[in-house]
Amino acid sequence: IARDLSPKGFLSYYKNFGFSIPEGAIDALINLRLKDEFLNADLEAQIRELTLTKDEIIAKLNSSVKANFKYSLSDKQLNGSLDIIDAKLKLEKIEPIFENINGKLEFSPSQLMWSGLSFKYLNTEYKTSGALTDFKAPAVTAELSSKDLQLESAFAVNGKFIKFSKFKGQYINSEF
């Protein structure tokens, strides 16, 4: 069991992802296994006030998580999944916080996928699923729903520009 792990000690592992983690702490239980050129890790963690920053985005996270990682020692690729349990997320420029975040994220070197991810925002329950591919030139397909909203979208990010190839849905009795 590791307590009060600082993310700063792991900077070399995430510095190429384009974000920083200036503060926060993690209590974690990690089970590591090495077999056939693969390093496998099972992780249970409690995240406290973990701050993520990228450009002008600042997010603060509190959550319990369970994760599974598989790292190939030969081709240096990381795959895995992350179960988020009752997380709270505060974005610096958006009020109020996102609460009751629950769901599973799966990732590989080329994509991030989520399905059945749920959260509460402004007293409304939402569910989302989707995928982000190509981290250097991101493309996203996503669905978002609540009691009044159904939304499907597909878009690509190029620098500060977003190009939608699909944006359709329904809000209460209005279709768009």
Side-chain angles (χ1 to χ4, degrees):
I1 297 177
R3 299 210 184 277
D4 289 325
L5 292 172
S6 170
K8 291 178 184 176
F10 299 92
L11 177 63
S12 61
Y13 297 104
Y14 65 82
K15 67 180 178 184
N16 293 331
F17 290 116
F19 63 86
S20 65
I21 305 176
E23 61 185 350
I26 301 171
D27 292 341
L29 175 62
I30 303 171
N31 179 13
L32 296 173
R33 298 174 311 283
L34 180 62
K35 183 177 179 184
D36 300 329
E37 297 290 322
F38 289 98
L39 178 63
N40 294 285
D42 298 319
L43 167 79
E44 290 186 31
Q46 184 64 41
I47 298 170
R48 298 183 319 277
E49 300 296 312
L50 189 69
T51 302
L52 303 164
T53 63
K54 178 169 175 47
D55 300 327
E56 294 185 28
I57 298 171
I58 299 172
K60 194 165 278 197
L61 179 66
N62 289 288
S63 180
S64 294
V65 295
K66 291 183 180 179
N68 304 95
F69 303 102
K70 185 174 187 177
Y71 181 74
S72 170
L73 298 171
S74 59
D75 61 12
K76 296 180 176 43
Q77 295 206 359
L78 180 67
N79 295 284
S81 64
L82 179 69
D83 291 309
I84 301 168
I85 304 156
D86 200 28
K88 292 181 182 178
L89 176 65
K90 177 171 183 347
L91 299 172
E92 177 137 318
K93 296 186 178 187
I94 299 176
E95 291 287 338
I97 65 172
F98 293 82
E99 301 177 285
N100 302 337
I101 304 169
N102 292 283
K104 186 173 199 153
L105 304 174
E106 296 180 85
F107 60 89
S108 70
S110 61
Q111 71 178 0
L112 172 69
M113 297 177 297
W114 62 97
S115 62
L117 189 70
S118 63
F119 62 93
K120 186 176 183 180
Y121 182 72
L122 292 173
N123 294 320
T124 301
E125 298 284 337
Y126 291 89
K127 290 192 180 203
T128 181
S129 61
L132 181 150
T133 57
D134 190 354
F135 296 114
K136 292 182 181 176
V140 176
T141 57
E143 296 179 5
L144 177 67
S145 63
S146 71
K147 63 182 171 96
D148 295 326
L149 175 70
Q150 299 291 322
L151 176 64
E152 296 177 37
S153 66
F155 58 91
V157 179
N158 184 359
K160 293 185 177 189
F161 296 99
I162 299 174
K163 181 178 179 183
F164 282 89
S165 57
K166 180 180 188 179
F167 190 85
K168 73 176 194 172
Q170 179 178 338
Y171 179 69
I172 306 177
N173 293 324
S174 301
E175 290 188 22
F176 53 92

